[in-house]
Every structure is written in C-alpha cells, then in structure tokens.
Amino acid sequence: MEEFVFFISGKVARPLTIDPTVWIFDERKIDLEAFFQSDEGLPDDNDLVSYTKAVAKKWDKEMLEGSEPPNPNRDSNQIAFERQKWTNGSFGMPLKPFIRNAAPEESATAIEIRTTDGKTFPFSIEQGDSFIAAFSEKGQPLKEDGPVHVYLADDSSKEPVRRVHEIVFI
C-alpha cells in the first residue's frame, strides 16, 4: 500500500511529514471551486488578525441585530448541510503556514516539488507562499493520483502538480 502522506524537507530547520486526510476537519481548508471562481485570494496568514476580524464581525452583528437563541431545527439542518458539503466538495489547504512552520533556511534558493512517479517541478521561494494542496475532489481523497495536488493560488497554471510526494527546499 502506498503512503498517503507527503513531506516538506531539504534546507529547513524542521522537516515535516503531513497527513492530508485529517484536513477535512481543519477550519483553514478552502473550497477549491469557490476559491478559483472568486478574486479574493488566500486568507490572511496572520491567525490573530483573522481571528480578531471574525470575532469583531460577530460582535457587530450581535450588537446591531441582537443575539439569537439556539434553534434545534436550524442547527440540525446546518449540520446536514455541512455533511453534504464535505461529501460532495473539493477542498484544499493553503501551505504557507506549513512552510513557515518548517522554517526554511536563509540559504534555500528554490523549491522543488517531487512526485511519486519521479518527476520534479521547480518553483521560486516566493511561489511557495501561494501553494494550495488539494486533498479532496468531489468528497473523496485523491487516492489514484494523490496524496495531494499542488495549485498556485494566483491560478497561473490551470493544471496542478499531481502525485505530490515531497516539497524540497534547495
């Protein structure tokens, strides 16, 4: 059986082994179809700023409209809707936080994506900040040509790098 993980390695302080199957539960995941149809770009990478904005928006709404008590009928419908979205959606994960966590060394000059079939794809360090790892297509993990596909957030290449096994800083 083939491994369903990929690696961030090379000139990094902390090499990472990443299991994309757990990302379906991660709040940072993005709906790929909606993302590539909109012009918003990747979410802000500063978690504190994003969190503060979300809390402030909710606070403003409750101050203007008042808070709403829990509604079991509405909440169960929301759960069913989310479950349907998970089982039918195509999702990806921005890789910038993972790359930052791996802490690339100053001497790293490029990024190379290596696939399970032995191909390599070169990218600049700056392009690494816009990597999105697709991990689900139509509700299913990418078993045949995964574990992940890597897209560029700026949509400069319509075709992703498939069968990604390792992201190497060189």
Side-chain angles (χ1 to χ4, degrees):
M1 184 173 134
E2 198 171 313
E3 287 184 329
F4 211 71
V5 296
F6 72 100
F7 307 93
I8 297 178
S9 62
K11 293 183 178 182
V12 294
R14 294 179 292 275
L16 300 178
T17 302
I18 300 173
D19 179 0
T21 59
V22 299
W23 283 343
I24 195 68
F25 304 109
D26 197 310
E27 292 178 359
R28 298 173 294 180
K29 73 180 176 292
I30 56 175
D31 183 330
L32 290 175
E33 292 170 12
F35 176 79
F36 285 119
Q37 290 175 0
S38 75
D39 295 330
E40 282 188 33
L42 284 174
D44 190 2
D45 64 327
N46 186 336
D47 291 335
L48 181 59
V49 171
S50 300
Y51 173 75
T52 305
K53 285 181 183 178
V55 169
K57 185 176 179 181
K58 184 166 179 66
W59 173 263
D60 290 344
K61 181 180 184 267
E62 288 187 5
M63 292 303 292
L64 293 172
E65 300 173 13
S67 64
E68 192 174 311
N71 181 340
N73 293 329
R74 185 194 73 232
D75 293 341
S76 64
N77 288 341
Q78 183 68 24
I79 291 169
F81 175 75
E82 288 293 320
R83 185 178 302 132
Q84 183 175 1
K85 190 167 97 173
W86 288 345
T87 58
N88 297 326
S90 297
F91 296 102
M93 180 67 72
L95 289 181
K96 186 174 182 178
F98 297 92
I99 289 172
R100 294 288 172 251
N101 191 30
E105 296 173 2
E106 293 288 327
S107 62
T109 58
I111 297 174
E112 194 174 82
I113 294 180
R114 298 178 182 168
T115 63
T116 56
D117 54 0
K119 295 180 184 174
T120 60
F121 298 86
F123 292 93
S124 69
I125 295 287
E126 294 76 27
Q127 287 176 305
D129 286 343
S130 69
F131 285 168
I132 298 173
F135 62 89
S136 166
E137 186 174 349
K138 297 181 181 157
Q140 298 299 314
L142 305 173
K143 290 182 180 176
E144 289 184 22
D145 59 355
V148 294
H149 302 166
V150 173
Y151 289 90
L152 291 175
D154 64 5
D155 204 22
S156 61
S157 68
K158 299 285 185 194
E159 283 297 311
V161 177
R162 298 176 189 276
R163 296 175 171 30
V164 173
H165 172 69
E166 190 172 18
I167 298 173
V168 182
F169 283 81
I170 47 179

